[in-house]
Amino acid sequence: MITNINTTVQIATTTTTTTQLPELPVEIQHSILNHLTFRECIQCTSVSRSWRFMVLNRQKMWECISTRDKHTIVPQLLSYKNHINGSFVKQIYINRFSNPKQWPMVVDFLTAQQCNAIKEVELNLLFMTTASTLKFINICGDTLSRIFISLYRYSKNHPITNVTPDIFIRHCPRLTKLVFVGPAADSMDWQLTLPANFVHLHLADLAIDITNSNDILINSASFFHALPKLEHLALSLENIANTGALSLPSSLQQYCPNLSSLVLSGSGDYNITARHKLQQKTKTTVINHRQCEGITSIILRNSWNTQLAPMASSLLYEFIQQSQTNLRLLDLTGADELFSHDMITYLIGHPFPMLTHLTLRWQPMTDSPNATLLHRFIIQAATQLKYLGLKCKHHFADDELLLALSDTAQLLQELELDYSELITSNGLQRFLETMAHPNRTLRRIVFNGTPALNREILHTIAVSESCIVAEMAILHCRNVSIDDVEQFLNDKLAHKSSGGNNAECSIIMKKLELCFYHDKDPADFVNNNKKGREFLKKLDSVAKEWKFTLCSPVTTLIFGNYREEVITHDQFRKINRKNLL
C-alpha cells in the first residue's frame, strides 16, 4: 500500500511505472492517489504529462478546496483553474491563520469557477462582511447544507464583522446544520429574529455564540417560530440574558416539537467547538431513536459568571420540569449557586426513569454542606446509569460514594473521574474489585488527574479475570509514570499469553489513551529514543486503538499553547509499513 509522497516518488522514478501508472484502471489510480494529501498530489503533476493529466482531471482532487495543506487557494490554484469544474467542488475549508483578505478573494475565485454545488463550508476567519457573505451565498446558497463559521477579531485595526447568523438561515433553504461563533453586527440593540412569515424546513442542528456583547438578545418567539425541524440547539447564556431567557423554555416547547438536545453555557466555560462535538456524541450515544417526545439531553455549564447563575438555575428548573420523564443525559457544571440545597433537593424530588448519562462538575467557592445531599441524588439515579462523570477536586466524589455506587450502579458501563482527590487508592481498589464481577458491565474508565490511581491498581486491571476494562484513559495522573504504564503493558501481555483472560478479552484492549508530562523533549522520546520505541511497540501489542501524548512541563502554557508530541496507532502502523517496503 502506498502511504506517502516519498513512496510514490520512489515508484515514479522508474521508467516503467512512470509510463504505466496512468494507464492503470481508473479505480486503481484513485486508490493510490487517495492516500496522498492535496499538496502531494500537486507534486505528482511534475512527474510527466500523463501523470499531470491523471491527477488534475480526477474529480475528487477538487471536491474539497482547503487551506489545511498550507495552501492559500488564491493565488495558488489560479494556474489550475482550467482543470477545476465548478460542479466538482463540494467543500470549502479556510483556517484562522489565512490572510485577512483571503476570504473575499476565494469568493471571487469560486464565482469565476461557477462553484454552484458546494454543500459544506468551515470558515475560521478574522472577520466577515455582509457583502462577501451574500456574494458567496448567491453562488451556492441553494446547495449549502452544513456551515461552520468561527470569527475572531485580533485588533481594532481589523474591520468589524457585520455578518449575522440569520443571513445563512434566510438564504440557505437546504441548510441542516449551522454553527456560528464570533462577533455579529456592530449595533448593540440588534436582536436575532426571523420574519414572521418565514419557515425553514430543514435546519435541525444550530449552535450560536455571539461574542461581542453580553446582551445580544435572541428574541425567542420571533426566532424559533421559524425553526420547526430543530433537533439540537446550543446557545450562549450571555446571548439569552434578561428578556431572551424568560421566554426560551416555552418558545422551544411551542415551536420546536422535535428538539431533543439542548446546550447552554457561559463564556470561558465551554467553547462552541467543544460544545458542538459533545452534541454529536450526545446524538450518537444517547439519542439514537425517537421513542420519546421532548428534550432528552440537557447540558448546562456556568462555572465562572456568577451574574448568570440565577438565570441558569431558573432555566434548569423549567427544563427539568418539562423533560424529567424523557431525560436521558444530564450534564451540569457550576459553582455553589447551581448546586444549591434547593436545586439538589429539587433534583432528588423528581424521578428520572430514562436517565442513563450523568455528568456533574461542581466547583464550590467555599466548604458546602450539600455534598451529602448530592450523594443521595447520584445514588438514586445510579440504578439505571450507563455513564457517570464525576468532575470535582474535593467535596462530593469520595470513597463513600464509590462504595455506594458499587452496590447500586449495576448497569454502569463508563466512569470518568476528574481529579476527585477525596478518593483514596484503597477506595478505588475496592470499587474496581467489586465491579469486576462477571455480572457487572463496567468497560471504560477515564482517569484525569486522579491521584488515587497508581501502579498497584493498574496491575489489578491488567490481570482481572473478568477483563472489566476494555477502554481506558490515563491523563496527567501524578502518581502514575510512563514506567508504571509500561509495567501495566507487560502484565497485560503476560496475562494474555498465559491464557488467564476469557476468550472475549484475551485479544487486546479496545482503546487506550495516555497523556503525560515529560521532563525532556517529547519529540525525542517518541521519535529517537530506543526506550520510547519499545514502549510504543508494547502499546501497539496491547491496544487495538491508542493515542499517546507527551507534554513539556516547561512550555505547557504559553499564550494558550503548549508543546506536545502526539502519536496514534494509525501513525505508528504507517511508519512500520513504510519501514518494511
Side-chain angles (χ1 to χ4, degrees), residues 180-420:
F180 185 100
V181 58
D186 53 4
S187 173
M188 294 301 293
D189 59 357
W190 174 78
Q191 293 190 14
L192 183 57
T193 63
L194 290 168
N197 59 349
F198 175 82
V199 176
H200 199 293
L201 298 177
H202 297 283
L203 186 61
D205 197 337
L206 177 65
I208 296 178
D209 187 357
I210 300 169
T211 59
N212 61 321
S213 172
N214 288 333
D215 197 16
I216 292 288
L217 297 181
I218 297 178
N219 193 317
S220 298
S222 62
F223 181 69
F224 291 110
H225 82 276
L227 307 176
K229 300 297 183 181
L230 199 62
E231 296 179 10
H232 309 282
L233 175 65
L235 297 174
S236 166
L237 287 169
E238 283 86 350
N239 295 160
I240 57 172
N242 300 328
T243 59
L246 297 176
S247 58
L248 182 64
S250 59
S251 294
L252 292 177
Q253 188 176 41
Q254 179 179 356
Y255 298 117
C256 305
N258 297 323
L259 189 67
S260 62
S261 70
L262 175 67
V263 181
L264 302 171
S265 69
S267 62
D269 232 327
Y270 199 29
N271 65 56
I272 196 75
T273 305
R275 183 180 345 176
H276 183 65
K277 288 179 179 178
L278 184 55
Q279 271 194 313
Q280 308 315 304
K281 180 180 179 182
T282 298
K283 286 189 286 186
T284 56
T285 61
V286 184
I287 317 301
N288 52 12
H289 51 78
R290 297 288 304 170
Q291 291 182 352
C292 301
E293 294 183 357
I295 297 175
T296 54
S297 89
I298 295 176
I299 301 169
L300 194 155
R301 298 186 174 182
N302 181 48
S303 299
W304 310 107
N305 194 332
T306 56
Q307 294 180 343
L308 294 176
M311 181 189 72
S313 297
S314 297
L315 287 172
L316 184 58
Y317 277 117
E318 292 290 332
F319 285 117
I320 290 293
Q321 188 173 10
Q322 288 182 9
S323 312
Q324 64 176 38
T325 57
N326 298 327
L327 203 62
R328 299 181 186 176
L329 182 147
L330 182 61
D331 184 328
L332 301 179
T333 296
D336 294 337
E337 292 84 355
L338 185 62
F339 290 95
S340 66
H341 181 278
D342 290 343
M343 176 58 73
I344 301 174
T345 302
Y346 183 79
L347 293 174
I348 292 174
H350 286 75
F352 297 92
M354 303 287 287
L355 189 67
T356 59
H357 290 61
L358 176 64
T359 302
L360 300 173
R361 297 175 183 82
W362 185 16
Q363 299 171 338
M365 302 298 180
T366 59
D367 289 337
S368 174
N370 297 331
T372 303
L373 203 59
L374 195 58
H375 276 202
R376 283 183 56 194
F377 170 63
I378 296 171
I379 295 168
Q380 176 179 295
T383 54
Q384 71 267 14
L385 286 183
K386 295 181 180 179
Y387 167 89
L388 176 62
L390 302 176
K391 307 187 177 186
C392 178
K393 277 198 171 184
H394 304 289
H395 301 283
F396 72 90
D398 56 18
D399 288 354
E400 182 182 347
L401 179 59
L402 282 188
L403 181 62
L405 288 173
S406 64
D407 291 331
T408 58
Q410 298 190 17
L411 302 179
L412 192 65
Q413 298 176 4
E414 301 179 62
L415 175 66
E416 292 195 28
L417 297 176
D418 277 20
Y419 300 103
S420 304

Side-chain angles (χ1 to χ4, degrees), residues 38 55-65 77-92 109-118 139:
F38 182 85
V55 171
L56 296 182
N57 289 280
R58 187 173 64 112
Q59 179 174 338
K60 192 170 182 179
M61 178 72 176
W62 310 112
E63 283 185 356
C64 180
I65 293 182
L77 293 187
L78 291 178
S79 59
Y80 304 102
K81 63 182 182 180
N82 292 334
H83 299 276
I84 303 176
N85 184 324
S87 63
F88 290 173
V89 181
K90 306 297 183 184
Q91 298 174 313
I92 303 293
F109 175 76
L110 297 174
T111 302
Q113 296 301 125
Q114 298 182 357
C115 298
N116 55 9
I118 299 172
I139 309 168

Side-chain angles (χ1 to χ4, degrees), residues 448-462:
N448 185 9
T450 312
L453 186 66
N454 56 30
R455 177 180 284 221
E456 289 72 26
I457 292 177
L458 288 178
H459 176 74
T460 299
I461 296 173

